[in-house]
Amino acid sequence: MIYTVTLNPSIDYIVRLDSFVHGITNRTTSEEYYYGGKGINVSCVLAELDLDSTAYGFVAGFTGDAIEKGIRNDRIITDFIKLKHGISRINIKIKADEETEINCQGPHIDDMEMERLLQKIDRIASGDTIIIAGSVPNTLPDDIYERMLERIKYKDVRIVVDATKKLLVNSLKYKPFLIKPNRQELSEIFQTDVKTEEQIEKYAGELQSMGAKNVLVSLGGDGAMLIDEFGVKHKAGVLKEKVINTVGSGDSMVAGFVAGYEKEKDYSYALKLGSVCGNATAFLSGLATKEKINELMEKFNSAFPEFC
């Protein structure tokens, strides 16, 4: 079984305007909402790839009920902890001449509720995969990733971590199967301006020396680079279509990579499917769909025959 962990789920409320003017009433041209959170996004795209997953995390109030009902389907088991107080956050994404985001804090999580999550982590068995992704609510301890991974360190669990800065670095001692920093996050971790392909490869290698097996670096419009556990470098470009939405693109890449490796046990194929899923989300208003993934897979094979 694949487990995803989203500590601070949200409803992402997207509003579109021709322009956004401060200090007056602005009228939208359209609105959309999506059930968000990095782990939830991974579960949703895994479902499009016909893989089952169990979604762990915390939900609260009427928004938490909406998130749980909204993502539950035949491929996603929702096993969230329902908090006693507060509501799950609503994040506002303003898309006008510029993109502006307002991300809320989320509900309070007490020690007993945190322990309930750790007890769920205890159920994860050897042979399973856990994907921990996203930020930590300010009411949880900074070492919550480590506390979760400590519970399974003696089991043969495939660990995937998609997080930033200290959260990512402190997880490396648990030898995660996959981490997915982007270029900016590499720069932040190593306190330097990472620009060139050689620098990316160098610092990805340093993360491997700290414990990571595979390092997948997303490069936005320049594609992605994978340094696999054998030290082999793989590169993938991006397809040329109009970018509609970048939110969730990295999560979709993680889902595609995990699904690709699960199906083929081949890193080149995993990178290809991860790249296609990331592209599919970028070219849609929501997350990647099965139809868009299949369409882009054909285009990817034509554009990058080295992956065939």
Side-chain angles (χ1 to χ4, degrees), residues 152-211:
I152 56 173
K153 70 177 181 180
Y154 295 118
K155 300 176 183 179
D156 183 20
V157 175
R158 188 178 295 153
I159 297 167
V160 178
V161 177
D162 184 10
T164 59
K165 299 180 184 176
K166 206 158 84 169
L167 285 174
L168 177 62
V169 171
N170 290 347
S171 72
L172 296 178
K173 57 179 172 284
Y174 297 99
K175 303 189 183 310
F177 168 75
L178 177 71
I179 61 173
K180 192 202 66 63
N182 59 33
R183 194 192 329 245
Q184 179 182 344
E185 289 161 355
L186 275 184
S187 299
E188 291 171 349
I189 290 169
F190 293 102
Q191 298 183 330
T192 187
D193 191 8
V194 177
K195 291 182 177 179
T196 68
E197 184 175 314
E198 291 74 19
Q199 288 176 307
I200 294 167
E201 189 173 359
K202 172 188 173 183
Y203 290 115
E206 291 202 22
L207 291 173
Q208 287 179 313
S209 70
M210 296 163 68

Side-chain angles (χ1 to χ4, degrees), residues 14 19 22 40 47 50 62 79-80 98 112 148 162 181-182 206 208 211 218 253 292:
I14 298 173
S19 62
H22 294 275
I40 286 174
D50 297 321
F62 74 98
D79 194 6
F80 295 114
E98 293 182 333
M112 187 176 297
M148 287 189 283
D162 184 10
N182 59 33
E206 291 202 22
Q208 287 179 313
S218 53
M253 177 178 282
K292 192 65 175 180

